[in-house]
Amino acid sequence: MIDGLFIVLEGVDGAGTTTHTKQLKDSLASRGLPVHQTREPSDGPIGVMIRQILTGRIVVPGLHGSRPPTWKTMALLFAADRADHVESEIEPNLRDGVTVISDRYYHSSVAYQSATAPEGADRAGEVARWVREINRYARKPDLTIVLDVSPEVAAKRRAERSKGSEIYDDLELQRELTRFYSNIERHFPDERIVHVDSSGSREDVAARILHHVREARGEKI
Ligand code: TMP
């Protein structure tokens, strides 16, 4: 049995990764392709805990009030969730010949955990390398699609949706993340990573994503 294709959608909060993961899954499924949609943080035990941290349900208590865990703890938690996610869900599906589409993967760790390292740290260098290192054995995606959108458009989209606030909502941080994502491939030189402008209509963006997926599948475009 030939392994399924492992596809990842990435981008800042509000870039549309969740919408387009679902959209892509639906359009591949409607063509008769076996396909599995998933996300990170995953729905496994560590992923569920991470979501509680993101929404402020779990905090680190301290003398001067509580705070979220640091970027280092977060990077290790995300890496542990990922190892579990790959072993329990991603690889079994791929081995069954199922195409797996993940809403976020280790590129998010390199972007978010590096961007939240303290000012003065070598975020794009030493820090990003360490985050990659702790994810070294996570299976490499066959195709990663980065949805590009300006921090302002992304902020507007985040404000419009019903989801409550999360620890990475800060506009300045989202600007730094936009910079990380604009050149994320430099941290993953041996991977197939493409960018899609996500500021257009949902249909246009979906069509461009599908184009890249068909190309990666070796379909005649
Ligand atoms: P989402 O469900 O809105 O995508 O929320 C996940 C949040 O977690 C989002 O702000 C990105 C962040 N994140 C990281 O910081 N590191 C990671 O490795 C992953 C997968 C997500």
Side-chain angles (χ1 to χ4, degrees), residues 149-183:
V149 67
S150 73
E152 290 71 26
V153 170
K156 191 163 166 280
R157 288 185 187 164
R158 287 200 305 281
E160 279 163 8
R161 64 192 186 195
S162 51
K163 218 167 120 182
S165 68
E166 292 193 343
I167 59 174
Y168 300 133
D169 273 352
D170 176 71
L171 187 58
E172 216 21 70
L173 170 61
Q174 293 290 327
R175 288 210 173 96
E176 172 84 1
L177 288 168
T178 308
R179 283 192 286 275
F180 255 96
Y181 275 114
S182 69
N183 195 10

Side-chain angles (χ1 to χ4, degrees), residues 13 40-41 51 54 78 82 103-105 108-109 112-113 161 163 166 168:
D13 295 282
E40 289 194 356
R51 287 192 186 277
L54 294 175
F78 278 113
R82 186 160 300 121
D103 178 358
R104 301 191 176 283
Y105 197 53
S108 283
S109 284
Y112 282 76
Q113 277 58 65
R161 64 192 186 195
K163 218 167 120 182
E166 292 193 343
Y168 300 133

